[in-house]
Amino acid sequence: MLVSLAAWLQTLSPDFGFFRVFQYLTFRAVLAAMTSLLIGLIAGPFVIRRLTELKIGQPIRGYGMESHLSKKGTPTMGGVLILLSMAISTLLWFDWTNRFVWIVMIVTLGFGAIGWADDWRKVVHKDPEGMRSREKYFWQSLIGLLAALYLVFSISESSNLKVLELFFTWVRSGFDVNLPPKAGLMLPFFKEVSYPLGVFGFVIMTYLVIVGSSNAVNLTDGLDGLAIMPVVLVGGSLGVFAYVTGSSVYSKYLFFPYIPGSGELLVFCSAMAGAGLAFLWFNTYPAQVFMGDVGALALGGALGTIAVIVRQEIVLSIMGGIFVAEALSVMLQVTYFKYTKKKYGEGRRILKMAPLHHHFEKSGWKETQVVVRFWIITMLLCLVGLSTLKLR
């Protein structure tokens, strides 16, 4: 919004020439981070008080960690603070004509709405399980598939009209359209190496990345501050990739695909980082508020969508290794338990408790030790991911 306002003021008088600074993406990204951070810090106490007044407290599962029983009643659904800060800051500082930021915001708010419904059932209907898995996955799949269908053509074209034209061309051709190399699966550490996926392959991969990352972040959000800091680190790193792929100069120099308009995602990533740090102020141990599904599902979906746009799905799995490990720990635990129960009549476990962070708690680690060590691991993994910018 402010970008258009600054451009309008420049046309009125040469005295407003200093507003040209708003054209610089890095300048707007810094201000987006500062704006969301300040909004989060200022609005945080009010949001927490309001959630407390509404008695929106965190229910604790009966089979959860005993050490977490003291957290019962702590306000949850604090993810609304993150989404509010992100949305306001992004709307203020990004170019409203950019299609990529809009699709990321739609996915983010869409998954946030699913999380809201899930949290609401937990706190209002006093059901610790919340929304049932089938219903949740249905709505996640619907949003993920719609986003995938849009992105498969928007990566190739530069306007929504051309995206629509390409879609109809694909339908008329009997679902047979060749996508450009930049729409293939990019391999990190290799120059200009990508595997063609085709339209259906791209859609399936995008769906898995968006829905998978959303649920992985949600599974990670189990300890005070555990999920939000990795989200900030991974989101900030993806912002760097967005800046590179959105620049014809840097993308050519670093052997990255040039995707016009993707650079504007740096503003969104910066706003997400600022909002995340503001939330961490209140979510650090002992937490005054929990993120809830409304925040975790939304942030995970945002990370997955951005990774697809900048063509760094594999790098996302590297930098978000903690999220991947948490999700895999649950999948392996459940699968092994069902297998052994069917074979031996009694379910057995690989880990002491899933997700992975609870296994380490059961092993004697304090909650703060698990959180900080997972942060350190994420920092290292983000550095590995960022190294792919040059090591190609």
Side-chain angles (χ1 to χ4, degrees):
M1 181 175 70
L2 294 180
V3 178
S4 301
L5 178 61
W8 177 70
L9 290 174
Q10 290 178 56
T11 61
L12 294 180
S13 171
D15 295 334
F16 293 108
F18 63 88
F19 281 108
R20 284 193 297 270
V21 71
F22 285 88
Q23 298 175 2
Y24 292 95
L25 181 58
T26 50
F27 174 77
R28 290 187 285 114
V30 171
L31 290 182
M34 294 175 61
T35 302
S36 61
L37 177 63
L38 289 175
I39 292 174
L41 291 176
I42 294 172
F46 169 78
V47 172
I48 294 173
R49 285 198 304 272
R50 188 60 178 161
L51 291 174
T52 303
E53 291 171 359
L54 294 173
K55 297 182 180 180
I56 301 180
Q58 175 68 34
I60 304 297
R61 293 180 175 89
Y63 52 83
M65 292 286 297
E66 294 181 3
S67 59
H68 292 186
L69 294 178
S70 61
K71 299 182 180 184
K72 185 177 182 179
T74 301
T76 187
M77 298 180 73
V80 296
L81 176 63
I82 303 175
L83 298 184
L84 179 68
S85 304
M86 284 171 52
I88 294 175
S89 180
T90 302
L91 289 172
L92 283 175
W93 296 109
F94 94 104
D95 180 1
W96 281 26
T97 63
N98 187 278
R99 66 196 189 283
F100 287 132
V101 178
W102 282 116
I103 189 63
V104 172
M105 287 189 64
I106 290 172
V107 171
T108 302
L109 296 178
F111 275 84
I114 297 172
W116 174 279
D118 189 19
D119 287 334
W120 190 258
R121 293 184 185 183
K122 292 177 183 177
V123 299
V124 174
H125 300 291
K126 307 302 180 182
D127 181 4
E129 300 300 330
M131 185 183 293
R132 295 303 178 258
S133 298
R134 289 185 178 180
E135 183 182 359
K136 184 187 297 185
Y137 288 144
F138 169 77
W139 291 112
Q140 286 180 316
S141 298
L142 180 62
I143 296 174
L145 287 174
L146 290 176
L149 284 172
Y150 177 80
L151 291 176
V152 67
F153 299 115
S154 65
I155 295 295
S156 307
E157 299 296 341
S158 58
S159 70
N160 289 329
L161 182 59
K162 291 183 178 180
V163 169
L164 189 61
E165 291 177 356
L166 186 57
F167 173 77
F168 286 120
T169 301
W170 174 61
V171 174
R172 287 193 299 267
S173 66
F175 306 104
D176 184 20
V177 170
N178 292 325
L179 297 178
K182 63 182 178 182
L185 180 62
M186 299 289 172
L187 298 183
F189 301 108
F190 293 94
K191 295 180 182 178
E192 300 178 330
V193 176
S194 65
Y195 284 98
L197 298 170
V199 174
F200 287 110
F202 187 98
V203 169
I204 293 173
M205 181 199 66
T206 300
Y207 161 77
L208 292 175
V209 170
I210 294 177
V211 176
S213 60
S214 175
N215 287 303
V217 173
N218 192 34
L219 290 171
T220 306
D221 183 34
L223 302 178
D224 298 352
L226 178 60
I228 191 61
M229 192 60 183
V231 166
V232 170
L233 293 170
V234 176
S237 300
L238 285 175
V240 176
F241 285 99
Y243 184 69
V244 170
T245 57
S247 169
S248 58
V249 176
Y250 292 133
S251 60
K252 182 179 180 180
Y253 174 70
L254 295 172
F255 298 98
F256 272 74
Y258 172 50
I259 304 173
S262 64
E264 201 70 23
L265 288 170
L266 176 61
V267 175
F268 182 90
C269 291
S270 299
M272 180 165 56
L277 290 175
F279 179 77
L280 182 61
W281 183 272
F282 306 103
N283 184 239
T284 190
Y285 183 86
Q288 298 174 254
V289 63
F290 296 138
M291 186 188 308
D293 287 6
V294 62
L297 291 178
L299 293 175
L303 293 179
T305 309
I306 296 170
V308 169
I309 294 173
V310 300
R311 314 305 307 122
Q312 299 301 316
E313 300 89 354
I314 296 179
V315 172
L316 172 64
S317 67
I318 295 174
M319 297 190 300
I322 289 297
F323 302 139
V324 175
E326 294 275 20
L328 287 177
S329 69
V330 174
M331 294 168 63
L332 291 174
Q333 184 88 325
V334 172
T335 302
Y336 186 71
F337 184 87
K338 290 182 177 179
Y339 169 75
T340 53
K341 186 174 183 178
K342 182 177 181 181
K343 185 175 182 179
Y344 303 108
E346 180 182 3
R348 301 176 184 178
R349 294 173 173 81
I350 300 175
L351 303 174
K352 294 181 179 179
M353 190 174 181
L356 186 62
H357 54 264
H358 289 322
H359 169 77
F360 287 110
E361 280 191 292
K362 287 281 190 179
S363 299
W365 290 18
K366 294 182 180 179
E367 180 173 344
T368 52
Q369 287 179 311
V370 177
V371 171
V372 174
R373 287 170 180 174
F374 276 34
W375 287 359
I376 294 173
I377 293 172
T378 302
M379 292 177 191
L380 294 174
L381 293 176
C382 285
L383 291 176
V384 173
L386 289 172
S387 70
T388 64
L389 286 167
K390 189 60 179 174
L391 299 179
R392 303 179 69 83

